[in-house]
Amino acid sequence: MKIDRKDVYRVRAGAINSINKYGTKFDTVELNAYFCIPVRNRHGKIIAFNELKTGMPLVKRVYLKNECWDDEHEDMYYPYAYDKTREMMQVGDIDVQIDQDYNTEALRRYAKWSKENITASLNCLERNSIQLTCSGYDSKQPMDYYNKKLFLCYLDDDFIIISARRNPLGILTGYREIITGRKVIRHSGDEYSEFDNIINLNRQLMDPDIEPIDRSILATRELSVAEFEDYMDLTPEEVEAKISNYLAKLSRERVLDYEPTK
Protein backbone atom coordinates (compact mmCIF):
# COMPACT_ATOMS: atom_id res chain seq x y z
CA MET A 1 0.00 0.00 0.00
CA LYS A 2 1.62 3.23 -1.18
CA ILE A 3 1.07 6.11 1.24
CA ASP A 4 1.98 9.77 0.82
CA ARG A 5 2.71 10.94 4.35
CA LYS A 6 1.68 14.53 3.53
CA ASP A 7 -1.92 13.40 3.03
CA VAL A 8 -2.19 11.31 6.19
CA TYR A 9 -3.30 12.62 9.58
CA ARG A 10 -3.26 10.89 12.93
CA VAL A 11 -6.50 10.89 14.92
CA ARG A 12 -6.07 10.17 18.61
CA ALA A 13 -9.32 9.02 20.18
CA GLY A 14 -9.83 9.44 23.91
CA ALA A 15 -12.63 8.72 26.38
CA ILE A 16 -13.81 11.87 28.15
CA ASN A 17 -13.38 11.22 31.86
CA SER A 18 -14.39 14.58 33.30
CA ILE A 19 -15.77 17.91 32.12
CA ASN A 20 -15.26 21.26 33.80
CA LYS A 21 -17.98 23.68 34.87
CA TYR A 22 -17.75 25.49 31.53
CA GLY A 23 -18.84 22.36 29.69
CA THR A 24 -15.49 21.73 28.01
CA LYS A 25 -13.31 18.65 28.14
CA PHE A 26 -11.16 18.48 31.25
CA ASP A 27 -9.60 15.03 31.25
CA THR A 28 -9.49 12.08 28.84
CA VAL A 29 -8.35 8.47 28.88
CA GLU A 30 -6.44 7.37 25.78
CA LEU A 31 -8.27 4.80 23.64
CA ASN A 32 -6.51 4.35 20.33
CA ALA A 33 -4.88 6.19 17.45
CA TYR A 34 -5.99 5.87 13.84
CA PHE A 35 -4.55 7.21 10.64
CA CYS A 36 -6.90 9.06 8.32
CA ILE A 37 -7.03 10.88 5.03
CA PRO A 38 -8.78 14.24 4.71
CA VAL A 39 -11.94 14.88 2.73
CA ARG A 40 -12.02 18.35 1.17
CA ASN A 41 -14.80 20.50 -0.23
CA ARG A 42 -14.59 22.34 -3.55
CA HIS A 43 -12.82 25.23 -1.82
CA GLY A 44 -10.06 22.95 -0.58
CA LYS A 45 -11.12 23.07 3.06
CA ILE A 46 -10.94 19.86 5.05
CA ILE A 47 -14.48 18.89 6.06
CA ALA A 48 -13.94 15.35 7.35
CA PHE A 49 -11.39 12.61 7.98
CA ASN A 50 -11.92 9.02 6.84
CA GLU A 51 -9.94 6.11 8.23
CA LEU A 52 -7.03 5.29 5.96
CA LYS A 53 -7.67 1.63 5.08
CA THR A 54 -11.40 1.11 5.55
CA GLY A 55 -12.61 4.52 4.38
CA MET A 56 -14.94 4.69 7.41
CA PRO A 57 -15.84 8.29 8.43
CA LEU A 58 -14.22 9.09 11.77
CA VAL A 59 -14.17 12.87 12.21
CA LYS A 60 -16.28 15.74 10.90
CA ARG A 61 -14.70 19.19 10.86
CA VAL A 62 -17.23 21.92 11.59
CA TYR A 63 -16.22 25.49 10.77
CA LEU A 64 -17.26 28.10 13.28
CA LYS A 65 -18.68 31.49 12.36
CA ASN A 66 -16.02 34.03 13.21
CA GLU A 67 -15.51 37.45 11.69
CA CYS A 68 -11.78 37.41 12.36
CA TRP A 69 -10.76 33.82 11.59
CA ASP A 70 -12.56 32.12 8.72
CA ASP A 71 -10.68 28.84 9.27
CA GLU A 72 -11.60 28.38 12.93
CA HIS A 73 -13.06 24.93 13.35
CA GLU A 74 -14.11 22.16 15.72
CA ASP A 75 -13.34 18.50 15.11
CA MET A 76 -16.13 16.15 16.18
CA TYR A 77 -16.36 12.39 16.44
CA TYR A 78 -18.45 11.48 13.41
CA PRO A 79 -21.47 9.70 15.01
CA TYR A 80 -22.06 12.79 17.20
CA ALA A 81 -21.51 15.40 14.50
CA TYR A 82 -25.08 15.50 13.18
CA ASP A 83 -26.93 15.10 16.48
CA LYS A 84 -28.45 18.55 16.96
CA THR A 85 -29.86 17.57 20.34
CA ARG A 86 -26.41 17.22 21.92
CA GLU A 87 -25.88 20.58 23.56
CA MET A 88 -22.64 19.59 25.26
CA MET A 89 -20.13 16.79 25.70
CA GLN A 90 -20.84 14.08 28.25
CA VAL A 91 -18.59 11.90 30.34
CA GLY A 92 -18.05 8.73 28.32
CA ASP A 93 -18.12 10.52 24.96
CA ILE A 94 -15.20 10.27 22.55
CA ASP A 95 -12.83 13.17 22.08
CA VAL A 96 -10.68 13.40 18.95
CA GLN A 97 -7.34 15.17 18.54
CA ILE A 98 -5.81 15.48 15.06
CA ASP A 99 -2.16 16.05 14.16
CA GLN A 100 0.64 15.03 11.83
CA ASP A 101 3.23 14.84 14.58
CA TYR A 102 4.11 11.18 14.16
CA ASN A 103 7.08 9.27 12.78
CA THR A 104 6.94 7.38 9.50
CA GLU A 105 7.59 4.05 11.20
CA ALA A 106 4.36 4.41 13.20
CA LEU A 107 2.46 4.86 9.94
CA ARG A 108 4.15 1.83 8.40
CA ARG A 109 3.18 -0.32 11.37
CA TYR A 110 -0.40 0.89 11.16
CA ALA A 111 -0.54 0.08 7.44
CA LYS A 112 0.07 -3.58 8.29
CA TRP A 113 -3.18 -3.79 10.26
CA SER A 114 -5.96 -5.66 8.47
CA LYS A 115 -9.16 -3.88 7.47
CA GLU A 116 -11.10 -6.36 9.59
CA ASN A 117 -9.15 -5.52 12.74
CA ILE A 118 -9.48 -1.79 12.17
CA THR A 119 -13.22 -2.10 11.55
CA ALA A 120 -13.64 -4.14 14.73
CA SER A 121 -11.68 -1.54 16.69
CA LEU A 122 -13.79 1.33 15.37
CA ASN A 123 -17.06 -0.51 15.99
CA CYS A 124 -16.30 -1.01 19.68
CA LEU A 125 -14.79 2.43 20.27
CA GLU A 126 -17.89 3.97 21.86
CA ARG A 127 -18.50 0.98 24.09
CA ASN A 128 -14.87 0.97 25.27
CA SER A 129 -15.17 4.66 26.08
CA ILE A 130 -18.22 4.05 28.29
CA GLN A 131 -16.57 1.07 29.98
CA LEU A 132 -13.45 3.06 30.91
CA THR A 133 -15.16 6.16 32.28
CA CYS A 134 -18.70 5.38 33.47
CA SER A 135 -19.62 3.55 36.67
CA GLY A 136 -22.94 2.36 35.18
CA TYR A 137 -21.39 0.29 32.39
CA ASP A 138 -22.91 -3.11 31.75
CA SER A 139 -21.82 -5.15 28.74
CA LYS A 140 -25.38 -6.40 28.17
CA GLN A 141 -26.74 -2.93 27.42
CA PRO A 142 -26.84 -1.49 23.86
CA MET A 143 -25.39 1.94 23.12
CA ASP A 144 -28.91 3.39 22.80
CA TYR A 145 -29.32 2.76 26.52
CA TYR A 146 -26.21 4.80 27.33
CA ASN A 147 -27.28 7.67 25.10
CA LYS A 148 -30.66 8.33 26.75
CA LYS A 149 -30.80 12.08 27.38
CA LEU A 150 -31.64 11.74 31.05
CA PHE A 151 -29.92 13.46 33.95
CA LEU A 152 -29.72 13.13 37.71
CA CYS A 153 -30.99 15.56 40.31
CA TYR A 154 -29.50 14.61 43.65
CA LEU A 155 -31.63 15.06 46.77
CA ASP A 156 -28.88 14.62 49.36
CA ASP A 157 -28.44 10.82 49.49
CA ASP A 158 -31.38 10.25 47.15
CA PHE A 159 -32.06 11.30 43.54
CA ILE A 160 -34.65 11.71 40.85
CA ILE A 161 -34.18 11.21 37.09
CA ILE A 162 -35.05 14.13 34.86
CA SER A 163 -35.07 15.25 31.23
CA ALA A 164 -34.36 18.76 29.93
CA ARG A 165 -37.17 20.93 28.57
CA ARG A 166 -36.70 23.79 26.12
CA ASN A 167 -38.78 26.58 24.66
CA PRO A 168 -39.40 26.87 20.87
CA LEU A 169 -36.14 28.82 20.52
CA GLY A 170 -34.18 25.93 22.02
CA ILE A 171 -33.42 27.71 25.30
CA LEU A 172 -33.32 25.48 28.38
CA THR A 173 -36.22 26.34 30.69
CA GLY A 174 -36.18 23.49 33.20
CA TYR A 175 -36.52 19.76 33.74
CA ARG A 176 -39.33 17.22 33.96
CA GLU A 177 -39.21 14.14 36.16
CA ILE A 178 -39.54 11.11 33.87
CA ILE A 179 -42.16 9.10 35.81
CA THR A 180 -44.57 11.84 36.87
CA GLY A 181 -43.94 13.90 33.75
CA ARG A 182 -44.26 17.12 35.69
CA LYS A 183 -41.83 20.02 35.57
CA VAL A 184 -39.84 19.71 38.80
CA ILE A 185 -37.00 22.17 38.19
CA ARG A 186 -37.03 25.68 36.79
CA HIS A 187 -33.86 26.81 35.04
CA SER A 188 -32.63 30.34 34.52
CA GLY A 189 -29.31 32.01 33.91
CA ASP A 190 -27.03 33.69 31.43
CA GLU A 191 -23.67 33.02 29.79
CA TYR A 192 -21.89 33.48 33.12
CA SER A 193 -23.99 31.54 35.60
CA GLU A 194 -26.92 29.13 35.83
CA PHE A 195 -29.63 28.75 38.47
CA ASP A 196 -31.92 25.81 39.14
CA ASN A 197 -34.88 25.86 41.51
CA ILE A 198 -36.82 22.79 42.59
CA ILE A 199 -40.54 23.53 42.17
CA ASN A 200 -42.88 23.08 45.11
CA LEU A 201 -46.33 21.69 44.27
CA ASN A 202 -47.84 24.23 46.64
CA ARG A 203 -47.43 27.49 44.73
CA GLN A 204 -47.64 29.48 47.98
CA LEU A 205 -44.36 27.95 49.13
CA MET A 206 -40.95 29.02 47.93
CA ASP A 207 -38.97 27.14 45.27
CA PRO A 208 -35.53 26.70 46.83
CA ASP A 209 -32.25 26.89 44.93
CA ILE A 210 -30.42 23.65 44.25
CA GLU A 211 -27.03 22.89 42.77
CA PRO A 212 -27.26 23.39 38.97
CA ILE A 213 -27.94 20.11 37.20
CA ASP A 214 -24.77 18.59 35.75
CA ARG A 215 -25.70 17.96 32.12
CA SER A 216 -22.30 16.43 31.38
CA ILE A 217 -23.31 13.19 33.14
CA LEU A 218 -26.07 11.02 31.72
CA ALA A 219 -28.14 9.08 34.25
CA THR A 220 -27.75 5.70 32.53
CA ARG A 221 -23.97 6.10 32.50
CA GLU A 222 -23.78 7.01 36.17
CA LEU A 223 -26.33 4.61 37.69
CA SER A 224 -26.02 0.86 37.63
CA VAL A 225 -28.64 -0.93 35.54
CA ALA A 226 -30.25 -2.20 38.76
CA GLU A 227 -30.46 1.34 40.19
CA PHE A 228 -32.00 2.65 36.99
CA GLU A 229 -34.54 -0.17 36.79
CA ASP A 230 -35.47 0.19 40.47
CA TYR A 231 -36.15 3.86 39.90
CA MET A 232 -38.32 3.14 36.86
CA ASP A 233 -40.42 0.78 39.03
CA LEU A 234 -41.40 3.63 41.39
CA THR A 235 -44.95 4.95 41.39
CA PRO A 236 -45.60 8.66 40.77
CA GLU A 237 -46.61 8.96 44.45
CA GLU A 238 -43.26 7.51 45.56
CA VAL A 239 -41.40 9.96 43.38
CA GLU A 240 -43.38 12.89 44.79
CA ALA A 241 -42.63 11.60 48.30
CA LYS A 242 -38.90 11.78 47.53
CA ILE A 243 -39.25 15.41 46.45
CA SER A 244 -41.54 16.35 49.37
CA ASN A 245 -39.17 14.82 51.92
CA TYR A 246 -36.27 16.74 50.44
CA LEU A 247 -38.21 20.02 50.44
CA ALA A 248 -39.25 19.43 54.07
CA LYS A 249 -35.61 18.87 55.02
CA LEU A 250 -34.59 22.11 53.31
CA SER A 251 -37.38 23.91 55.14
CA ARG A 252 -36.21 22.60 58.52
CA GLU A 253 -32.66 23.68 57.73
CA ARG A 254 -33.84 27.20 56.87
CA VAL A 255 -35.66 27.44 60.19
CA LEU A 256 -32.51 26.41 62.03
CA ASP A 257 -30.40 28.90 60.07
CA TYR A 258 -32.71 31.79 60.99
CA GLU A 259 -33.27 30.77 64.59
CA PRO A 260 -32.01 33.67 66.76
CA THR A 261 -29.11 32.88 69.03
CA LYS A 262 -29.69 33.25 72.74
Side-chain angles (χ1 to χ4, degrees):
M1 180 179 185
K2 188 175 179 181
I3 300 172
D4 186 344
R5 191 186 190 285
K6 293 184 302 183
D7 293 331
V8 179
Y9 290 74
R10 177 176 62 176
V11 176
R12 290 178 293 169
I16 297 175
N17 194 41
S18 61
I19 293 173
N20 64 26
K21 64 180 181 179
Y22 304 107
T24 56
K25 176 193 65 174
F26 186 72
D27 180 52
T28 59
V29 178
E30 185 177 350
L31 289 172
N32 211 339
Y34 303 90
F35 286 88
C36 294
I37 53 175
V39 178
R40 301 178 186 273
N41 63 15
R42 61 189 179 90
H43 302 293
K45 279 189 173 184
I46 295 174
I47 57 173
F49 292 87
N50 293 348
E51 196 280 324
L52 179 65
K53 298 192 72 174
T54 65
M56 292 176 65
L58 187 60
V59 176
K60 179 171 175 62
R61 176 161 286 182
V62 179
Y63 288 90
L64 308 174
K65 293 181 180 178
N66 192 313
E67 295 179 359
C68 300
W69 309 99
D70 63 357
D71 61 346
E72 188 178 3
H73 61 265
E74 180 182 5
D75 292 324
M76 302 173 65
Y77 179 61
Y78 209 85
Y80 306 156
Y82 298 101
D83 188 349
K84 303 300 184 184
T85 64
R86 296 176 67 90
E87 76 165 315
M88 67 188 302
M89 293 182 292
Q90 273 106 25
V91 171
D93 279 358
I94 294 170
D95 174 66
V96 289
Q97 298 293 317
I98 300 173
D99 63 36
Q100 288 186 303
D101 186 22
Y102 59 86
N103 58 53
T104 304
E105 183 56 33
L107 178 56
R108 287 198 185 105
R109 289 196 302 270
Y110 184 85
K112 294 178 181 177
W113 286 20
S114 70
K115 287 185 179 181
E116 292 74 19
N117 285 344
I118 293 172
T119 300
S121 176
L122 290 171
N123 286 341
C124 66
L125 197 59
E126 289 180 275
R127 182 168 289 279
N128 288 345
S129 182
I130 299 290
Q131 183 177 12
L132 282 173
T133 56
C134 299
S135 55
Y137 175 76
D138 185 316
S139 61
K140 298 183 182 66
Q141 299 302 315
M143 277 305 302
D144 285 351
Y145 171 81
Y146 294 112
N147 288 327
K148 293 179 186 290
K149 293 183 174 59
L150 302 174
F151 307 98
L152 292 171
C153 172
Y154 286 101
L155 310 175
D156 288 337
D157 296 331
D158 208 346
F159 64 86
I160 56 174
I161 300 178
I162 55 178
S163 62
R165 313 315 288 172
R166 301 177 183 281
N167 66 18
L169 297 177
I171 298 172
L172 179 66
T173 59
Y175 302 86
R176 292 189 186 278
E177 193 280 326
I178 62 171
I179 291 177
T180 64
R182 82 167 176 94
K183 187 174 180 180
V184 294
I185 296 168
R186 183 175 63 253
H187 178 86
S188 59
D190 51 37
E191 58 183 315
Y192 303 106
S193 57
E194 293 181 296
F195 304 96
D196 286 329
N197 297 82
I198 191 162
I199 299 172
N200 208 311
L201 277 175
N202 187 332
R203 303 309 302 151
Q204 293 182 323
L205 301 177
M206 67 180 295
D207 298 333
D209 294 340
I210 58 172
E211 284 292 317
I213 301 302
D214 187 348
R215 298 191 299 280
S216 73
I217 300 176
L218 295 177
T220 50
R221 298 184 184 186
E222 180 72 7
L223 300 175
S224 69
V225 173
E227 287 175 317
F228 184 78
E229 290 178 346
D230 285 347
Y231 185 88
M232 295 305 295
D233 284 339
L234 294 175
T235 65
E237 291 78 9
E238 288 172 320
V239 172
E240 289 295 352
K242 284 174 176 272
I243 300 169
S244 296
N245 290 338
Y246 180 67
L247 287 170
K249 180 177 180 296
L250 291 182
S251 178
R252 288 193 295 272
E253 289 174 350
R254 285 198 304 275
V255 170
L256 291 175
D257 286 342
Y258 288 108
E259 189 174 278
T261 56
K262 295 180 181 180

